[in-house]
Amino acid sequence: MAPPRDTTRRPDALTLEVVELIGEVVARFHADYEEAAAERALTGAQAKLLSLLSLEPLPMRKLAHRLKCEPSNVTGIVDRLEARGLVERRSDPGDRRVKVAAATEEGRRVARGLRESLSFARAPLAGLSEQERVSLRDALRLMVGEGAAGS
């Protein structure tokens, strides 16, 4: 096992370049995501909330936490998505006092279309070998704290 890295030093040139490249990837992803959302008459926040709910129903507080915003903001976003038939409110089966938001079938269809339309990285990733994609995935997992297990 490698010794812990000294993170108090100034980053080396390679680290700075990697950070810049990550920033560029993030910027391109956000631009592509906003464009895909707008094509579906959604704001970025609405699209992100809908994408989260397409995976599982969530209580409003958990949605607010994941979106890093106030619960009152989530209520407004859910209201607008509910008015379009993309989201519905339900009682939590584990605690009837708690309301959860859930994507409707139409909401899941829109979220799936949104994910499938994100194309900025598709061609560059397709140009990498499977081993290169696995290595990139594993490195990204390490960066976000998930480790490389579960390959």
Side-chain angles (χ1 to χ4, degrees):
M1 187 165 173
R5 291 191 181 112
D6 178 6
T7 58
T8 60
R9 295 183 321 194
R10 181 170 165 76
D12 60 85
L14 177 59
T15 299
L16 291 173
E17 182 181 6
V18 170
V19 168
E20 289 296 320
L21 289 168
I22 290 171
E24 180 64 25
V25 167
V26 168
R28 288 183 186 186
F29 173 79
H30 282 297
D32 200 30
Y33 197 83
E34 291 288 331
E35 184 179 320
E39 288 171 1
R40 289 156 181 78
L42 297 169
T43 65
Q46 289 171 337
K48 188 169 183 182
L49 186 143
L50 186 59
S51 291
L52 286 171
L53 294 179
S54 71
L55 302 174
E56 64 179 325
L58 292 167
M60 303 297 245
R61 277 203 188 286
K62 191 173 274 192
L63 277 170
H65 178 73
R66 291 211 184 150
L67 293 173
K68 296 176 179 45
C69 67
E70 294 297 316
S72 60
N73 292 349
V74 169
T75 299
I77 296 169
V78 169
D79 287 346
R80 288 185 284 287
L81 291 173
E82 190 174 37
R84 290 184 54 187
L86 301 175
V87 167
E88 63 187 9
R89 286 178 170 90
R90 303 176 183 162
S91 293
D92 185 332
D95 184 348
R96 309 282 293 155
R97 298 168 296 173
V98 175
K99 291 289 184 194
V100 298
T104 62
E105 185 58 41
E106 176 65 7
R108 286 189 293 279
R109 187 190 66 72
V110 169
R112 188 172 41 257
L114 181 65
R115 275 191 303 277
E116 290 170 358
S117 72
L118 298 176
S119 60
F120 90 94
R122 224 174 257 148
L125 284 173
L128 299 177
S129 71
E130 181 177 358
Q131 184 54 49
E132 288 169 325
R133 290 192 314 273
V134 167
S135 294
L136 177 59
R137 182 208 54 206
D138 290 348
L140 291 170
R141 282 181 173 173
L142 285 171
M143 288 182 70
V144 298
E146 293 181 17
S151 300

